[in-house]
Amino acid sequence: MVRGAIAWLRNDLRLRDNEIFHGEAVRNAAELLVVYCIDPRHYERSSWGDHRRCGVHRSELIAESLEALSQSLEKIGSKLHLALGQPEEVLPRLLAPGSVLLYQAEDTHDEQQVEEAVHAALPHGVDVRRHFGQTLRHRDDL
């Protein structure tokens, strides 16, 4: 049995059709911690222009989505944990050897750099399971 699992949520903030919650690792986990990191880098000025990477409207959408997700998780006896900080600093502190990190892989450069930084910072022995769910077809089928 898996000691514990962390579902690291990023852009897919739904419960019902989120592949992360339907896998064997979640069913076999002794404990599941659902985590969303509020990454300060998302609110910095963009290198592509004079604007923030995450503006007011997107921030509102994320907040509303997190609230809806939190309510959905509470209905099944779970809880959403919000963490202020960079995922590569937050997640390794929560994971012990023998635990599982589950997340949806992203397709953009910045998000992939964060994924690489998270992997590099994880303790030895953490099982990482990622899935691809943002496209109509699986990457391997393209």
Side-chain angles (χ1 to χ4, degrees):
M1 177 181 277
V2 175
R3 275 184 36 191
I6 289 186
W8 170 32
L9 300 182
R10 300 162 80 191
N11 291 316
D12 190 355
L13 299 177
R14 298 180 316 272
L15 176 62
R16 192 175 123 188
D17 63 344
N18 190 324
E19 189 176 325
I20 288 175
F21 297 108
H22 301 286
E24 180 182 338
V26 169
R27 286 193 303 272
N28 294 336
E31 179 181 15
L32 174 66
L33 191 65
V34 182
V35 177
Y36 180 86
C37 295
I38 302 169
D39 191 336
R41 292 174 291 206
H42 292 170
Y43 301 94
E44 295 173 350
R45 292 270 176 217
S46 171
S47 59
W48 298 101
D50 188 25
H51 56 83
R52 296 193 186 283
R53 292 183 59 206
C54 185
V56 174
H57 299 295
R58 183 169 182 221
S59 295
E60 286 179 12
L61 175 64
I62 291 170
E64 291 168 1
S65 299
L66 289 171
E67 179 62 32
L69 175 63
S70 179
Q71 291 173 2
S72 295
L73 287 167
E74 286 176 6
K75 287 178 184 175
I76 62 168
S78 191
K79 183 178 179 181
L80 175 63
H81 299 271
L82 301 177
L84 178 59
Q86 296 178 355
E88 61 269 28
E89 296 173 356
V90 171
L91 296 171
R93 293 191 312 245
L94 302 174
L95 290 154
S99 58
V100 179
L101 174 64
L102 306 117
Y103 69 93
Q104 178 174 291
E106 298 294 339
D107 295 310
T108 60
H109 178 72
D110 290 349
E111 282 80 3
Q112 288 174 351
Q113 285 185 315
V114 171
E115 291 170 19
E116 290 172 10
V118 167
H119 286 239
L122 290 176
H124 181 73
V126 172
D127 182 10
V128 178
R129 300 186 189 184
R130 63 186 188 153
H131 75 91
F132 303 95
Q134 299 257 346
T135 58
L136 293 175
R137 298 212 182 267
H138 192 279
R139 287 178 172 186
D140 295 340
D141 296 333
L142 297 177

